[in-house]
């Protein structure tokens, strides 16, 4: 399973189906959020096991690769680590997760709660990744990359398959981008048949800069969604997919993301972390304006946040 093809995505979907949720779609109207009226479908992958879409890639990796006795290791801003910890717990595999200091307490607590060993390695994702690579060299544990690995892309691609099943008439899908595993897998499924729009924070424009440069290049790693949408570079495996099948990248401000996060809760009673609300923020801020009659879907991809407390 080394090529990110529709056949590989179909096979992975069948393999992981017993372990992941088929998440629901919520129809809303932009008028409910104070924008000009336009129907929108919210795909609530924030309701997935471990709180984000990342469980798909984790299970795909574990179920298609040989896992050594040393177990698995991951570097993560939080969501990937939580997914790896959850999948490892379900499958009885030892897991070690390296996170940067910017990881939210909600995500760190979730990783620990699933029984994984949590290690803080540096201030940014790149630091945690370097620390995890040292750990692999010393233990022989299996690396599960957050976004730049075929199994990860294929697993996230199962979400594209699911969206195609749920919304067969969709024209446009807005997807938040960090390292690009999610948008790469989804774009590999749709292959241009649906307009895939990448949404990135202004403080971490990884794909935006790569598309402008013609190759992955360093980008800033700042902003409200830095724990989920701020690697140093977009993934090299997904980049050719994005060049071919991602229609455009739009940038959104931190204020727009925070506003969308609050609006999701106030208007639809949906809890999303900043990265999970980023795609919707493009519509609510006017960074992406749909055409009349354009059938738009938005992926709400993560909910690991302490923004709502009970």
């Amino acid at each position: 399973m080394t090529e990110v093809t529709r056949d590989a995505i179909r096979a992975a979907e069948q393999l992981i189906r017993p372990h992941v949720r088929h998440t629901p779609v919520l129809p809303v109207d932009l008028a409910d959020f104070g924008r000009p009226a336009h129907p929108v479908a919210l795909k609530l992958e924030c309701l997935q096991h471990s709180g984000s879409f990342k469980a798909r890639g984790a299970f795909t990796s574990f179920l298609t690769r040989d896992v050594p006795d040393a177990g698995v290791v991951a570097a993560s801003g939080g969501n990937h680590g939580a997914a790896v910890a959850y999948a490892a717990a379900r499958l009885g595999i030892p897991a070690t997760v390296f996170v940067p200091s910017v990881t939210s307490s909600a995500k760190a607590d979730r990783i620990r709660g699933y029984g994984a060993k949590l290690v803080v390695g540096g201030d940014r994702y790149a630091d945690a990744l370097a620390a995890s690579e040292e750990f692999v060299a010393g233990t022989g544990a299996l690396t599960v990359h957050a976004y730049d690995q075929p199994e990860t892309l294929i697993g996230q691609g199962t979400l594209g398959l699911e969206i195609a099943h749920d919304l067969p008439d969709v024209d446009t899908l807005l997807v938040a981008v960090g390292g690009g595993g999610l948008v790469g897998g989804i774009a590999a499924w749709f292959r241009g048949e649906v307009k895939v729009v990448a949404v990135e924070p202004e403080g971490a424009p990884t794909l935006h800069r790569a598309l402008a440069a013609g190759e992955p290049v360093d980008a800033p790693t700042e902003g409200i969604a830095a724990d989920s949408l701020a690697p140093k570079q977009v993934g090299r495996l997904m980049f050719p997919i994005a060049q071919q099948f991602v229609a455009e990248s739009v940038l959104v401000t931190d204020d727009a993301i925070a506003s969308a996060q609050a609006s999701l809760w106030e208007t639809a009673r949906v809890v999303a972390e900043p990265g999970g609300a980023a795609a919707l923020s493009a519509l609510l801020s006017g960074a992406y304006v749909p055409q009349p009659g354009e059938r738009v879907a938005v992926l709400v991809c993560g909910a690991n946040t302490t923004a709502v407390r009970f």
Side-chain angles (χ1 to χ4, degrees), residues 14-216:
Q14 294 179 8
L15 194 63
I16 70 174
R17 177 48 48 200
H19 304 287
V20 299
R21 292 180 178 137
H22 187 134
T23 51
V25 171
L26 176 66
V28 298
D29 197 287
L30 292 184
D32 299 335
F33 297 87
R35 296 291 298 175
H38 197 106
V40 172
L42 302 180
K43 175 63 170 175
L44 300 182
E45 188 67 6
C46 51
L47 302 181
Q48 187 55 260
H49 290 301
S50 78
S52 83
F53 68 93
K54 296 278 191 178
R56 297 173 183 269
F59 275 112
T60 300
S61 191
F62 295 167
L63 294 173
T64 59
R65 303 166 72 199
D66 293 329
V67 179
D69 292 340
V72 298
V73 62
S76 170
N79 283 340
H80 176 61
V84 165
Y86 173 80
R90 283 285 299 265
L91 299 175
I93 297 169
T96 303
V97 178
F98 288 79
V99 299
S101 60
V102 297
T103 294
S104 72
S105 60
K107 295 176 182 180
D109 290 346
R110 176 153 283 203
I111 292 168
R112 291 192 190 96
Y114 290 138
K117 180 182 178 182
L118 182 73
V119 182
V120 178
D123 294 329
R124 289 291 183 263
Y125 170 78
D127 303 322
L129 179 61
S132 74
E133 290 169 346
E134 291 182 13
F135 180 85
V136 169
T139 64
L142 180 71
T143 299
V144 186
H145 199 282
Y147 53 88
D148 204 20
Q149 199 166 60
E151 295 83 5
T152 302
L153 284 160
I154 290 165
Q156 319 314 18
T158 66
L159 185 48
L161 185 160
E162 194 168 296
I163 292 169
H165 174 274
D166 293 343
L167 300 165
D169 297 325
V170 68
D171 297 316
T172 302
L173 175 65
L174 277 66
V175 183
V177 176
L182 178 61
V183 76
I186 287 175
W189 174 262
F190 284 115
R191 304 187 69 81
E193 294 178 4
V194 165
K195 181 182 180 182
V196 175
V197 177
V199 181
E200 301 178 83
E202 287 184 350
T206 52
L207 181 57
H208 196 83
R209 287 204 174 180
L211 291 171
E215 63 179 345

